[in-house]
Amino acid sequence: MDTGTKIAAGLEEAFVIHGFAEPNVETLREAAGVSLRTLYKYTPSRDDMVLSALEYRHRRYMDHIFSDVPENGPVALGGIIDRIAGWMTQEAPQGCLFHAAVAAAPQDENLKELLSRHKTCVAERAAAVAGVEERSADILFIFEGLTQSWPLLGGASVESAHRLAKCLFIEANETLSSYA
């Protein structure tokens, strides 16, 4: 693992454990496992530290969700939903780290843009894999419902996401057959 990745991974872990407001620079430096000079070389400000951690998390999330997904419509989308549930169980039991970052700094336009880019990227990729590219907004809604309700509902949010995804395909098929 190169130094930049090591720093990003350590920062991600620190923000997951401590949130975005609590950890001081020494805590973040310790989590990154580098000297203060090296930390600031790679991430010159606290804002850069947050962005670096979230960019790293985005890459890990995309790998977790989309590695070896069967490219077969409803089966693919169901598999993605199950992988999101696995991520929530292991990596985000308290909810989405991207939303937490924006909540901690609601005026930060860079964080808002990163949140939007992350969520849009996930939804568009899932829609493409599932073969319903025109429904990426619906998929985004399903995924956001799953991740945002996870801390309250746990597995019940997964069941709801599966039901909504099924409705998406039923409606898509009805729309397609009405044009035939």
Side-chain angles (χ1 to χ4, degrees):
M1 182 180 303
D2 66 60
T3 303
T5 303
K6 175 184 174 187
I7 290 169
L11 292 171
E12 177 200 17
E13 184 176 343
F15 291 128
V16 166
I17 293 169
H18 302 290
F20 290 95
E22 183 182 322
N24 60 31
V25 173
E26 180 55 28
T27 300
L28 296 173
R29 184 213 57 78
E30 188 176 297
V34 295
S35 69
L36 192 58
R37 181 179 181 165
T38 301
L39 177 62
Y40 278 121
K41 175 183 174 185
Y42 283 86
T43 54
S45 70
R46 186 180 183 88
D47 289 346
D48 291 324
M49 292 176 198
V50 171
L51 291 171
S52 175
L54 291 174
E55 290 284 359
Y56 177 74
R57 189 166 184 91
H58 170 74
R59 290 188 303 272
R60 285 194 330 107
Y61 187 79
M62 295 298 285
D63 286 346
H64 177 82
I65 301 303
F66 294 106
S67 292
D68 303 320
V69 172
E71 295 193 32
N72 180 358
V75 173
L77 190 56
I80 291 168
I81 290 169
D82 290 339
R83 288 176 181 203
I84 292 171
W87 177 271
M88 298 307 292
T89 300
Q90 298 297 317
E91 302 282 343
Q94 300 306 312
C96 175
L97 195 63
F98 289 85
H99 281 292
V102 171
Q107 303 306 317
D108 188 324
E109 293 301 322
N110 289 328
L111 283 178
K112 289 181 195 177
E113 188 278 328
L114 181 58
L115 168 67
S116 176
R117 185 168 34 96
H118 167 69
K119 299 297 183 173
T120 300
C121 181
V122 171
E124 288 177 352
R125 178 118 179 246
V129 168
V132 288
E133 290 84 352
E134 70 285 353
R135 304 306 287 271
S136 65
D138 296 330
I139 290 174
L140 175 60
F141 186 82
I142 293 168
F143 290 176
E144 282 300 286
L146 168 55
T147 60
Q148 293 303 306
S149 65
W150 179 266
L152 299 172
L153 302 175
S157 61
V158 179
E159 294 168 17
S160 292
H162 279 295
R163 281 192 301 274
L164 291 170
K166 183 178 179 180
C167 291
L168 185 145
F169 282 99
I170 291 169
E171 183 181 313
N173 286 334
E174 288 173 358
T175 302
L176 290 175
S177 65
S178 71
Y179 285 110

